[in-house]
């Protein structure tokens, strides 16, 4: 089990450190949770843990639930671990895409067989490169054979192969054994190439998004809402396609898996939504537009109310933990001056005592009014204009 910490240092630089890398004796969720708990305790990190990001294995749900029960008793645990569990976006994408690829048809298999055939022999590869030069294929990349269980390698295979379409065609025309050896299963047709180009363009969105969310030198949480909105838009566009039934079928399967992990607020960690609001370019105006496009204005308003309440809850939790002790503006009775005045009240005239009491009450009410009328830092932030990109 590898445990990696991400934190911002005193110079506001994002850091990444491996805390632990060790074998674990059990893959039960509770045991994983205990192993992670011991790692944090040994490091003296039983406070200030905000979120834990894991992949979507069911045992990890159990592990995080165990840790959440422990975090409730740890010092400075933000919201008592309420937003502790974050699902890895890159892993969600890795679950969504293969579901669709499994129903895309035979074109991917044809490319795989053809690429494998060329790469099996140095002589074939040399001949293929000669044909690529003759056909002026504008690519210097080598042919890539994918690992079928890793969709991103399938994308890279298709993306590279399509650039050599004319070279594959010339190889087929000039090498008589090509068709015989493949028994026609890897002979690529114009229909196959059309499918490959369309599929590669579709998968490119998810490949680029995977690279984006896997970044470790910059904060990625504030882009989460953009990312899931982008995926939703891509899938919806494919579902509206009336030209490619395979792509529609693929998008349907992917949309079902997407909704399972990212559909609606209930399936998202609120910390990632709040992170988008805390992006100076976004705030609530951005959230309203995105959610309005995805769910309609009525549902958007109820969602924004939930997000606002969550944001205030988080802010108040930080205030309770980190805000400096307030000066005793209200409790004048405990101040040294009031104590002296109380000791002198024995010899004060009744009229003076009454006047002092009135003055103290006036001060108390004034201080309460100032506190009630003042805006919090959060309110001030939300009311300021957004920044440009």
């Amino acid at each position: 089990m590898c445990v990696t910490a991400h934190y911002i240092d005193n110079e506001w630089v994002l850091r990444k450190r491996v805390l632990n890398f060790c074998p674990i004796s059990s893959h039960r969720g509770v045991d994983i949770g205990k192993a992670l708990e011991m790692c944090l305790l040994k490091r003296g990190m039983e406070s200030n843990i905000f979120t834990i990001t894991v992949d979507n294995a069911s045992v990890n749900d159990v592990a995080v639930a165990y840790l959440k029960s422990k975090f409730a008793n740890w010092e400075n645990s933000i919201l008592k671990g309420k937003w502790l569990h974050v699902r890895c976006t890159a892993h969600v994408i890795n679950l969504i895409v293969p579901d669709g690829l499994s129903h895309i048809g035979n074109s991917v298999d044809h490319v795989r067989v053809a690429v494998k055939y060329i790469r099996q022999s140095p002589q074939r590869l040399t001949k293929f490169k000669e044909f690529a030069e003759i056909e002026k294929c504008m690519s210097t990349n080598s042919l890539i054979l994918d690992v079928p269980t890793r969709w991103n390698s399938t994308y890279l295979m298709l993306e590279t192969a399509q650039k050599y379409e004319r070279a594959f065609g010339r190889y087929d025309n000039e090498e008589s054994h090509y068709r015989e050896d493949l028994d026609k299963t890897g002979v690529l047709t114009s229909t196959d190439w059309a499918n490959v180009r369309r599929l590669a363009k579709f998968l490119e969105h998810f490949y680029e998004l995977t690279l984006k969310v896997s970044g470790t030198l910059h904060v990625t949480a504030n882009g989460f809402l953009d990312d899931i909105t982008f995926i939703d838009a891509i899938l919806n566009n494919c579902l509206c396609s009336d030209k490619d039934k395979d792509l529609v079928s693929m998008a349907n399967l992917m949309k079902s898996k997407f909704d399972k992990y990212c559909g609606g607020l209930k399936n998202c960690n609120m910390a990632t939504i709040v992170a988008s609001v805390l992006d100076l370019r976004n705030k609530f105006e951005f959230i309203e537009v995105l959610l309005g496009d995805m769910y309609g204005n009525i549902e958007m308003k109820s969602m924004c109310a939930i997000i606002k309440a969550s944001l205030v809850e988080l802010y108040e939790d930080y205030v309770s933990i980190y805000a400096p002790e307030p000066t005793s503006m209200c409790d004048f009775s405990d101040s040294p001056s009031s104590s002296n005045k109380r000791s002198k009240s024995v010899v004060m005239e009744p009229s003076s005592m009454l006047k002092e009491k009135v003055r103290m009450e006036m001060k108390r009410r004034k201080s309460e009014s100032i506190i009630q009328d003042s805006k919090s830092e959060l309110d001030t932030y939300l009311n300021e204009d957004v920044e440009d990109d």
Side-chain angles (χ1 to χ4, degrees), residues 107-163:
S107 296
V108 175
D109 292 332
H110 291 171
V111 172
R112 185 178 294 122
V113 170
V115 170
K116 185 176 182 179
Y117 177 85
I118 298 296
R119 283 167 49 99
Q120 274 181 335
S121 162
Q123 290 79 16
R124 293 174 190 168
L125 199 55
T126 300
K127 183 65 68 173
F128 184 84
K129 289 179 179 178
E130 291 175 4
F131 293 154
E133 289 180 7
I134 294 172
E135 293 293 339
K136 293 182 169 52
C137 296
M138 303 301 291
S139 178
T140 57
N141 295 334
S142 301
L143 291 175
I144 296 172
L145 183 62
D146 73 334
V147 180
T149 55
R150 296 184 63 85
W151 73 267
N152 52 339
S153 69
T154 302
Y155 160 73
L156 292 172
M157 177 183 73
L158 299 178
E159 173 65 17
T160 305
Q162 67 169 334
K163 297 175 182 176

Side-chain angles (χ1 to χ4, degrees), residues 160-352:
T160 305
Q162 67 169 334
K163 297 175 182 176
Y164 292 104
E165 178 181 352
R166 295 193 301 274
F168 277 106
R170 180 174 283 270
Y171 199 101
D172 182 21
N173 292 332
E174 300 199 16
E175 295 296 314
S176 58
H177 295 294
Y178 179 67
R179 284 178 175 257
E180 296 174 9
D181 292 344
L182 296 185
D183 194 25
K184 297 184 180 181
T185 57
V187 178
L188 290 151
T189 64
S190 58
T191 301
D192 285 328
W193 285 118
N195 289 338
V196 165
R197 283 191 292 273
R198 193 161 49 248
L199 182 57
K201 186 65 178 175
F202 176 73
L203 292 179
E204 182 182 11
H205 300 302
F206 297 91
Y207 180 77
E208 296 292 338
L209 185 56
T210 299
L211 296 180
K212 176 188 172 187
V213 301
S214 300
T216 58
L217 299 179
H218 60 276
V219 176
T220 58
N222 60 306
F224 171 80
L225 198 58
D226 305 32
D227 300 336
I228 64 169
T229 307
F230 177 72
I231 294 174
D232 187 67
I234 292 294
L235 295 178
N236 285 334
N237 284 340
C238 290
L239 291 174
C240 296
S241 172
D242 54 359
K243 297 179 181 179
D244 193 333
K245 292 182 179 179
D246 283 338
L247 205 57
V248 172
S249 175
M250 179 179 179
N252 258 317
L253 290 163
M254 293 172 67
K255 186 73 165 65
S256 176
K257 185 65 70 73
F258 171 80
D259 289 340
K260 176 182 176 182
Y261 292 112
C262 301
L265 290 183
K266 66 180 184 299
N267 294 330
C268 296
N269 186 303
M270 191 58 68
T272 57
I273 309 295
V274 165
S276 186
V277 179
L278 294 179
D279 188 320
L280 292 168
R281 302 163 298 175
N282 298 345
K283 303 191 180 180
F284 265 101
E285 292 89 339
F286 180 80
I287 304 296
E288 289 170 354
V289 173
L290 281 188
L291 296 182
D293 286 345
M294 288 181 71
Y295 302 107
N297 286 332
I298 296 176
E299 192 168 351
M300 175 271 289
K301 289 180 180 178
S302 63
M303 285 181 166
C304 283
I306 294 171
I307 296 170
K308 180 65 180 292
S310 300
L311 182 57
V312 171
E313 182 185 15
L314 178 64
Y315 173 77
E316 290 177 347
D317 197 49
Y318 267 89
V319 168
S320 68
I321 297 173
Y322 295 108
E325 290 294 327
T327 56
S328 52
M329 294 176 62
C330 301
D331 192 7
F332 292 101
S333 60
D334 292 334
S335 65
S337 59
S338 64
S339 176
N340 292 337
K341 287 169 183 172
R342 279 202 303 270
S343 64
K344 294 178 181 179
S345 65
V346 177
V347 295
M348 288 175 70
E349 295 292 329
S351 60
S352 300

Side-chain angles (χ1 to χ4, degrees), residues 9-25:
D9 68 13
N10 291 334
E11 303 300 321
W12 290 94
V13 177
L14 183 67
R15 301 293 187 184
K16 171 187 174 183
R17 295 288 183 271
V18 174
L19 300 181
N20 200 11
F21 187 80
C22 65
I24 52 175
S25 58

Side-chain angles (χ1 to χ4, degrees), residues 13-66:
V13 177
L14 183 67
R15 301 293 187 184
K16 171 187 174 183
R17 295 288 183 271
V18 174
L19 300 181
N20 200 11
F21 187 80
C22 65
I24 52 175
S25 58
S26 168
H27 287 87
R28 292 175 62 245
V30 172
D31 293 333
I32 292 173
K34 289 179 178 178
L36 183 51
E37 178 189 17
M38 288 299 105
C39 171
L40 296 176
L41 289 173
K42 287 179 181 178
R43 290 273 184 171
M45 297 176 60
E46 59 270 27
S47 64
N48 298 328
I49 303 295
F50 191 10
T51 59
I52 295 179
T53 304
V54 290
D55 66 25
N56 296 278
S58 57
V59 291
N60 285 334
D61 294 344
V62 178
V64 175
Y66 168 83

